[in-house]
Amino acid sequence: MAEIIVVTSGKGGVGKTTTSAAIGSGLAIRGHKTVIIDFDVGLRNLDLIMGCERRVVYDFVNVLNQEANLNQALIKDKRNPNLYILPASQTRDKDALTQEGVQTVLNELSESFEYIICDSPAGIEKGAQMALYYADQAIVVTNPEVSSVRDSDRILGILQSKSLRAETGAEPVKEHLLLTRYNPARVEDGEMLSVEDVVEILAIPLVGVIPESEAVLKASNQGEPVIFDESADAGQAYSDTVARLLGEEVDFRFLEAGKKGFLKRLLGAR
Amino acid sequence: MADTSFQLKGSVVTTFILELYQYSREDFTQQLKDKISQAPEFFLQSPVVISLEKFAGENIDFLELVDVCRQFELQPMAFKAVDARFEATIKKTGLPLLSDTATRAVNNASVAPAPQKVEAESEESEYRKSKVITRPVRSGQQVYAEGGDLIILSQVSEGAEVLADGNIHIYGSLRGRALAGIKGDTSARVFCQKLDAELISVAGHFILSDSLDSALQGQAVQVYLDEQTLHVAAV
């Protein structure tokens, strides 16, 4: 049985797809056979972040509608043999997702994969609910600002009430907080919420803190998940996150602002 | 022009509900006698609504039932939650049929005021289970403890709402809304470990975060009603 992990947030633009790509790749790098499913039907992005947009022939909706089989739709990653992508359809909308269809696909994937990463669309409507319904674990991606935190709180409520585990009274979905776009300097200046603030408000265990980094945008545009960039702070932070997801204890890095030089400080440069 | 003779007003009166489970004249008479002998003063001339919600038996002589009640100085005033098959027989008693959702009664001069006896307490105080929540109540969620207290062993997030007919106890941060005594219990209170609420209400009297004393923010407090005024005090 595969472990189903949903990457969700409520709010858009906080880094769900970047995180899905990075965590999925990280699990594959560590030797776990992993598939990432794009649930954002109609606003397909995962293929771009993964750099496989030219190889999409069949998609998730084709499989749901039995117009193609899973093997035809799965795209094998060129960097890592353990990694597969199931892209969303760009020409359809979220109504194309049905609970039974999603369950069938997840069951079939469960037979051959260790991890299934569900990249959720933004919002709390059907697409997001489908993505989280069958989840065993949830990575709640949050930016250190109040609206993102509130939306994360909302999605945690939905995980607690509308997931399969909640409905059947099984063990609750395991929740992880992932803080992205964290800028320690701005936290020190009081412009951003701190890790402690967010953890206190959301009251779920922290699995990772990804620093705001130019490497993320660069990685997205190049179609190479940032975790493959071992020199980038964001890539290293995602590697640490994957290790924690797998149960390892890793110290948190990148929580302190880099020391500014005396001259820089004097000139007020960032 | 003659002075107005009367005015029709909606009102709520306190009555007993006699919830009938089964009926045989002998058993019913004996049991009613026993019950009333415990506090004869208390039951004297008490209006009573007979509820058939839990009545499982067949058609019975409802007129006889009403008579037995009257013998013991009870004043049956209506039937409630009446199944269609009993309707015809009950109409013969001349008493009105109330819908089973709410017991609405029109004020009536013969209705006795709520008894003030000590026994009243013991008769009316019924054990009610509290609702216990162990996980955080998240933004957009609503939790309601009907007929009792609400106990939350975690936090209440901004945008969440917790309600109770009784008291609300929160052993964590209260960042959302808490409404106690929503059916009008003015003795209900709200307790929380860490105050950061959007709104707190007791029996319809509410206070918003803006009007909370900033010195009490983040403190363990209780909120209660006294003389129509909501008080927030550290505990």
Side-chain angles (χ1 to χ4, degrees), chain A residues 33-46:
Chain A
K33 200 174 174 200
T34 303
V35 57
I36 313 173
I37 308 177
D38 191 350
F39 272 80
D40 207 348
V41 177
L43 289 168
R44 181 171 83 200
N45 280 159
L46 181 70

Side-chain angles (χ1 to χ4, degrees), chain B residues 63 66 70 76-79 88-97:
Chain B
L63 206 53
V66 170
R70 286 184 178 142
M77 53 186 276
F79 281 87
T89 348
I90 285 178
K91 278 192 179 142
K92 289 185 199 153
T93 65
L95 293 176
L97 275 58

Side-chain angles (χ1 to χ4, degrees), chain A residues 150 152-158 160-161 172-173 175 200-204, chain B residues 135-141 154-160 173 175 194 198:
Chain A
R150 181 188 281 182
S152 294
D153 194 61
R154 183 87 171 90
I155 208 83
L156 283 164
I158 291 172
Q160 278 171 27
S161 56
V173 176
E175 299 151 343
E200 203 211 317
I201 296 172
L202 293 179
I204 57 170
Chain B
R135 307 197 70 195
V137 184
R138 302 287 184 183
S139 187
Q141 289 186 317
S154 186
Q155 60 177 20
V156 176
S157 293
E158 197 183 303
S173 295
R175 302 194 184 94
K194 199 172 168 198
E198 289 171 343

Side-chain angles (χ1 to χ4, degrees), chain B:
Chain B
M1 206 175 100
D3 284 339
T4 313
S5 307
F6 66 88
Q7 187 186 9
L8 276 177
K9 280 175 145 183
S11 178
V12 178
V13 293
T14 313
T15 66
F16 288 108
I17 300 279
L18 191 155
E19 193 150 57
L20 195 66
Y21 297 132
Q22 53 188 1
Y23 179 81
S24 78
R25 184 178 180 128
E26 271 172 39
D27 291 350
F28 183 77
T29 310
Q30 187 57 45
Q31 288 170 20
L32 193 60
K33 189 177 170 189
D34 291 348
K35 195 71 174 173
I36 286 176
S37 66
Q38 290 170 11
E41 291 283 326
F42 178 62
F43 287 101
L44 195 65
Q45 298 294 320
S46 285
V48 57
V49 172
I50 300 165
S51 168
L52 300 183
E53 200 182 347
K54 306 239 168 90
F55 181 64
E58 285 306 304
N59 229 338
I60 56 162
D61 187 350
F62 287 102
L63 206 53
E64 182 187 283
L65 175 77
V66 170
D67 277 342
V68 174
C69 291
R70 286 184 178 142
Q71 278 168 30
F72 290 100
E73 305 276 5
L74 290 176
Q75 304 231 337
M77 53 186 276
F79 281 87
K80 175 177 181 274
V82 174
D83 196 284
R85 60 203 163 108
F86 303 140
E87 267 179 31
T89 348
I90 285 178
K91 278 192 179 142
K92 289 185 199 153
T93 65
L95 293 176
L97 275 58
L98 301 177
S99 69
D100 74 359
T101 45
T103 315
R104 295 182 125 222
V106 174
N107 206 353
N108 179 317
S110 74
V111 171
Q116 304 274 316
K117 298 272 175 194
V118 186
E119 289 94 333
E121 301 267 301
S122 59
E123 280 298 320
E124 282 181 4
S125 69
E126 196 180 301
Y127 171 70
R128 298 249 190 219
K129 250 189 171 176
S130 300
K131 189 167 193 167
V132 180
I133 305 287
T134 54
R135 307 197 70 195
V137 184
R138 302 287 184 183
S139 187
Q141 289 186 317
Q142 198 181 46
V143 178
Y144 172 38
E146 193 177 358
D149 286 6
L150 178 60
I151 299 170
I152 296 168
L153 298 169
S154 186
Q155 60 177 20
V156 176
S157 293
E158 197 183 303
E161 193 168 77
V162 292
L163 312 102
D165 289 345
N167 305 302
I168 299 178
H169 312 253
I170 301 163
Y171 297 94
S173 295
L174 169 59
R175 302 194 184 94
R177 298 160 163 241
L179 298 91
I182 58 167
K183 288 203 178 138
D185 182 359
T186 51
S187 66
R189 295 184 181 211
V190 176
F191 305 86
C192 76
Q193 201 73 48
K194 199 172 168 198
L195 176 71
D196 200 5
E198 289 171 343
L199 178 148
I200 299 180
S201 153
V202 174
H205 299 257
F206 66 88
I207 185 167
L208 287 165
S209 60
D210 287 353
S211 17
L212 287 170
D213 183 354
S214 58
L216 291 168
Q217 291 278 353
Q219 303 298 308
V221 300
Q222 63 160 324
V223 181
Y224 59 95
L225 203 55
D226 185 29
E227 305 278 333
Q228 306 280 309
T229 313
L230 216 50
H231 294 272
V232 184
V235 289

